[in-house]
Amino acid sequence: MLRYIIRRLVLLVPLLIGITLISFVVIHLAPGEPTDLQTQMNPQASSELQERLRVQYGLDQPLYVQYGRWLGRLIQLDFGESFATDRRPVLDKIFERLPVTILLNVLSIVFILAIAVPLGVVSAIRRNSGFDRATTILVFTGFAMPSFWLALLLMDWFGVRLGVLPVSGLKSLGYEYLSWGAQLLDRISHLILPVFVSAIGGVAGFSRYMRSNMLEVIRQDYILTARAKGLAERTVIYKHALRNALLPVITILGLSVPGLIGGSVIFETIFAIPGMGKLFYDGVMMRDYPLIMGILVIGAVLTLLGNLLADISYALADPRIRHTQQANRSQ
Amino acid sequence: MRLLRKGLLIVTVIVLAACNQSDELNHPGVEQVTTPAYGDTFIEASIGDASTLLPVLASDSASSSINGLVYNGLIRYNKNLQIEGELAESWDIAEDNLTITFHLRRDVRWHDGEPLTAADVQFTYNLYIDPATPTAYAEAFKQVTRVEVPDPYTFVVHYDKPYAPALISWATAIHPRHLLEGQDITKSPLSRHPIGTGPYKFSEWVGGEKIVLEANPDYFEGQPYIKRVVYRIIPDVSTQFLELQTGSLDFMGLSPLQFDRQTDTPAFRRLYNKYRYLNFGYTYLGYNLKRPLFQDKRVRQALSYAIDKQELIDGVLLGYGAIATGPYKPDTWVYNGNVQRYPYNPEKSRELLAAAGWEDSNANGILDKDGVELAFTIVTNQGNDLRSKTGEIIQRRFREIGVDVKLRIIEWATFLKEFINPGNFDATILGWTGGPEPDQYNIWHSSKTGPRELNFIGFKNAEVDQLLEDGRRVFDEQQRKIYYDRFQEILAEEQPYTFLYVGEALPAVSRRFRGVEPAPAGIRYNFTHWFVPKAEQKYSR
């Protein structure tokens, strides 16, 4: 197992370099340069300034030199400075946005699992019942609904009309002066709408997935055996069937690791949440190459690690895979 | 002056905007007489986070509006857009217009307690012209030949040619020498934690979330009444508007739709006063004069006659705007209203086109000449709804006189790189924002037609060149007006642009705030005098 992991880890390196190379080239294919934003269409800026900025940013060099320099710094874990006028280190910018994004995504995943798993299981057991049909309709409505539209409706309803929840942001003004309990309440009230809206699509998709998984498992012979043994229906469903139906969840969780640091621009923009999605979007619009590359690299690393993690935990959780591996090795 | 990218910016950049007409709503009955009181918080939203709070590096509107409260210039525009002293008590312009001497106030201190002296002004000048400083605002200072500091409170600038825009270039924020000298400006901690001389001190910046300023009790013009200013970063305007409706924001620039339809409720009027005044800035349809089609003046005039500008204002701005006749705002001293105008007149338009040889010889509804149809493409940038709507309306009107027009909407960077910079376009809908200074050299002078320069339509007119050069060389308004009046006449006659409209700023301000006095400079010019009566103060901390 350990050898397998190390081999996978080593293989990640060329893969990662390949990813950065392609990303780097693609980003530079987009028209416009970071210096344009500061100098173009500005009567006060001279073309001399444009050239000076290009030299300062190293944009006067050929692309392969730029990539080489960037990679050289990356190896020393130096992500460079942003091309935005503030010239802050890319890592500072990313770490400033990361906690909020991770918090929201974790809450959202927990919410999705907490709702979607029971929903899917019950729908599967009571297949074609009124409940199943009702959830099917609801779930597809939720899936089809544009999240920005839903967000605005909820903000208008709960924030403006009823006035029970804050419209946007993460904290109220004067948060610093609240008591500990009030601070917690304040934070929760700000998180309710964003978490709900960001999770709604996931709940829809995941509960469908759960339902079909469960249906598949229930048809298996060992469930028949379990029933034939005279086990209680509860035990059959929640012990034997659910466990097996949950296996693919591991893969999904593994794949959602990179998603933890990714955000949605639309969603963050609407709720005025300073997250990774907006940071990345703004970076792209301003052609802030070091920032874009920094986020892409972190995203790529997490995706690759997430995949690896999913594979490993799959092997740990599913004896069939574990045994096949051992069998392969002994051959 | 910068090119407007988004309609949103039009409504947020109102600092330099002048008052056109005040709405009925501005005078909500008899206000009880209230005495100014200190305290309360003013909360406004910004669509983007500030980039840097060092004015020399900042070029975005969020940073600029914050820097405006934290720093001071030597001079500024007053409510009537006349130049008055700020850090400078007075100034003298020498007979030959080549030397300006500023006399500084002696009672100004930086937020850290150090006194402000002429050395700071000299340092600021050096900072701007330093080649290592990546600033977009060095041009005006490059005209300076020499500066002198005869004593700590006198600052003298010399020019080798008289340069009228020079005076207002000294409205530039003065930077603290004692904190910045000998440092790499791009790495200065002041970019995240500014120290200025202005009415507000920097307090807190939570990235992507908010920026907080506190009143400066030692401000040389007296402590501002409002104790705290909070800029909340809310990137979505719909969200901003929802926040406004809950009363969480005290100020917002409204869109015409919001102003006209969505705020016309008793609940909203109870919370906010609305104001309207013309923006500095106009939208135009510019013709690429390097294209043979547009080299005939009659064609350009014909197209101007074919556009119903009032229809654009009514349709796109819901009536909140004025017809533009040239590059200046109708209510400024430099504006010349006695120029050739182009009221909607399709007959006249057809006549002019016929005179230029364009006729529908094959009766397919599109004019042609020598077998070529009269067809071209209008390009504009993505993300500006007003411009794309304007384009659609113009497209229809042009079709009616037999001109086949396509409209292409392109992402900003691509738009500049592939279309504007290489001159690869027929016509474009864009806008300019400006200020009270009338110098238009960079946009209309024939020397500015190079790649990446602002006269990208390739307008070349010897008389205009001369007028623009003369206009920069005199300081006297009346004399300048003679040059700029003629300049506007030529533009109106030549129609290198069809000047379309000037939009209005439509701000809503919470009714708690008193002392708001609309003037030619807009409403924000006297922000330090706004106050909330003690009984109505909302935020105690």
Side-chain angles (χ1 to χ4, degrees), chain B residues 239-396:
Chain B
T239 308
Q240 284 191 10
F241 189 59
L242 288 171
E243 288 280 13
L244 188 75
Q245 284 170 302
T246 65
S248 326
L249 293 181
D250 296 318
F251 180 93
M252 182 181 169
L254 301 175
S255 71
L257 186 68
Q258 289 165 341
F259 191 92
D260 202 64
R261 314 272 161 81
Q262 296 167 346
T263 55
D264 201 18
T265 59
F268 193 87
R269 276 196 292 263
R270 208 165 46 241
L271 280 172
Y272 298 97
N273 289 323
K274 296 194 285 186
Y275 302 87
R276 51 182 290 198
Y277 47 84
L278 281 182
N279 272 318
F280 271 103
Y282 62 94
T283 300
Y284 61 87
L285 174 63
Y287 306 106
N288 186 348
L289 303 177
K290 290 161 199 148
R291 295 275 150 106
L293 170 63
F294 296 119
Q295 279 167 3
D296 190 331
K297 181 168 82 179
R298 287 168 298 185
V299 172
R300 304 193 300 265
Q301 289 176 332
L303 294 175
S304 291
Y305 275 120
I307 300 171
D308 185 348
K309 285 113 198 153
Q310 193 56 46
E311 172 188 54
L312 292 176
I313 293 169
D314 292 340
V316 176
L317 300 173
L318 302 179
Y320 295 98
I323 295 175
T325 58
Y328 301 119
K329 195 161 79 103
D331 55 4
T332 50
W333 61 267
V334 71
Y335 178 74
N336 181 0
N338 297 320
V339 296
Q340 165 80 23
R341 288 176 187 245
Y342 298 84
Y344 176 58
N345 189 342
E347 275 72 47
K348 185 110 186 178
S349 182
R350 285 193 196 96
E351 277 168 29
L352 280 163
L353 286 173
W358 293 97
E359 260 156 8
D360 190 7
S361 62
N362 56 1
N364 68 343
I366 307 295
L367 302 177
D368 53 75
K369 179 170 142 181
D370 308 333
V372 184
E373 297 205 316
L374 182 42
F376 62 93
T377 304
I378 297 176
V379 292
T380 190
N381 65 301
Q382 196 186 47
N384 191 317
D385 199 32
L386 301 180
R387 286 185 200 154
S388 45
K389 282 182 187 158
T390 301
E392 285 160 22
I393 296 172
I394 289 177
Q395 192 177 23
R396 195 188 106 237

Side-chain angles (χ1 to χ4, degrees), chain A residues 43-44 52 85-86 168 177 270, chain B residues 1 51 131 136 139 239 243 541:
Chain A
Q44 286 151 317
R52 221 163 57 215
T85 40
D86 58 3
S168 68
Y177 307 107
I270 287 191
Chain B
M1 206 179 295
S51 60
E139 279 312 292
T239 308
E243 288 280 13
R541 267 184 280 255

Side-chain angles (χ1 to χ4, degrees), chain B residues 401-477:
Chain B
I401 56 159
V403 178
D404 184 22
V405 165
K406 287 190 182 59
L407 184 64
R408 278 193 71 182
I409 296 162
I410 305 141
E411 185 266 333
W412 180 250
T414 315
F415 175 71
L416 290 181
K417 180 152 191 247
E418 305 293 331
F419 294 85
I420 299 298
N421 291 341
N424 180 24
F425 66 99
D426 301 326
T428 179
I429 298 174
L430 281 174
W432 290 112
T433 43
E437 167 53 46
D439 182 30
Q440 293 271 317
Y441 189 90
N442 285 314
I443 298 174
W444 298 103
H445 197 273
S446 62
S447 67
K448 294 290 177 182
T449 51
R452 310 179 62 93
E453 289 189 305
L454 302 183
N455 188 352
F456 48 78
I457 59 159
F459 180 72
K460 287 181 179 158
N461 182 305
E463 193 184 348
V464 163
D465 284 357
Q466 191 58 49
L467 290 166
L468 289 171
E469 285 159 29
D470 292 343
R472 317 174 105 181
R473 299 283 170 245
V474 284
F475 284 74
D476 180 58
E477 257 181 27

